[in-house]
Amino acid sequence: MNYLPIALALAEAPVVIIGGCDEGVRKAQRLARLTTDVTFIAPHIPDSVRSLGFTLKEKNFETGDLNGVKVLFICTDDERRNHDIYRMAHERGILACVCDDKPYCDFISPAIVRQDNITVAVGSDGSDVRRSIRIRNRIKALIESGLLDMS
């Protein structure tokens, strides 16, 4: 799959994360740097997510949880359930991403560096996330050292 890098106006796009697996927690922590307008839905919400300022719904997912959603991260430990939720979201026109499952991703979150209103995104179309993060970290180090001027 080929993905087009785009910038999403999160203030205009209610975001929901379904599932409290490790990847769901990582997505939540990354999103917290950009917005607190996130609803996190899981039967058990990890303490590391409770402190992020999100709307928390400690319960099992229900179809009605998709009402009004624009961007959805699906991160349960049940692959079949993830695919079912993805299909429901897709039918409603919701941009959805099943963690670690590229065929079920309408979008992929790149590794980013932000400074003021400039964002540098490094992505691999989800095929080599660790490499994207390493490159992003190198760019961040160059900026912090002054070798790369973002002004």
Side-chain angles (χ1 to χ4, degrees), residues 3-57:
Y3 292 92
L4 172 68
I6 61 170
L8 212 62
L10 291 177
E12 304 297 323
V15 178
V16 171
I17 299 172
I18 297 172
C21 73
D22 291 344
E23 186 57 30
V25 171
R26 283 191 290 276
K27 295 283 185 206
Q29 291 168 334
R30 285 184 216 123
L31 279 169
R33 290 184 260 157
L34 304 170
T35 183
T36 56
D37 190 14
V38 175
T39 300
F40 193 95
I41 303 169
H44 171 72
I45 297 176
D47 290 338
S48 57
V49 173
R50 291 186 184 280
S51 63
L52 298 177
F54 295 164
T55 300
L56 305 175
K57 294 184 179 181

Side-chain angles (χ1 to χ4, degrees), residues 13-140:
V15 178
V16 171
I17 299 172
I18 297 172
C21 73
D22 291 344
E23 186 57 30
V25 171
R26 283 191 290 276
K27 295 283 185 206
Q29 291 168 334
R30 285 184 216 123
L31 279 169
R33 290 184 260 157
L34 304 170
T35 183
T36 56
D37 190 14
V38 175
T39 300
F40 193 95
I41 303 169
H44 171 72
I45 297 176
D47 290 338
S48 57
V49 173
R50 291 186 184 280
S51 63
L52 298 177
F54 295 164
T55 300
L56 305 175
K57 294 184 179 181
E58 197 157 12
K59 66 182 198 75
N60 289 317
F61 166 78
E62 300 168 5
T63 306
D65 293 325
L66 297 178
N67 294 340
V69 174
K70 300 290 185 192
V71 178
L72 178 64
F73 291 93
I74 307 164
C75 306
T76 77
D77 288 325
D78 181 339
E79 182 178 312
R80 185 173 178 198
R81 183 75 171 140
N82 287 347
H83 295 172
D84 290 345
I85 295 169
Y86 174 83
R87 282 189 278 279
M88 284 185 259
H90 201 71
E91 289 171 3
R92 294 172 178 228
I94 298 169
L95 287 175
C97 175
V98 174
C99 65
D100 298 330
D101 202 346
K102 273 179 51 174
Y104 292 88
C105 291
D106 297 322
F107 63 93
I108 290 187
S109 305
I112 64 169
V113 178
R114 288 182 58 103
Q115 186 180 59
D116 302 320
N117 64 339
I118 301 297
T119 302
V120 177
V122 181
S124 63
D125 287 349
S127 61
D128 197 343
V129 173
R130 286 186 173 94
R131 183 174 176 213
S132 298
I133 291 169
R134 281 194 311 272
I135 294 169
R136 183 266 326 261
N137 290 345
R138 288 182 199 146
I139 293 168
K140 185 176 178 183

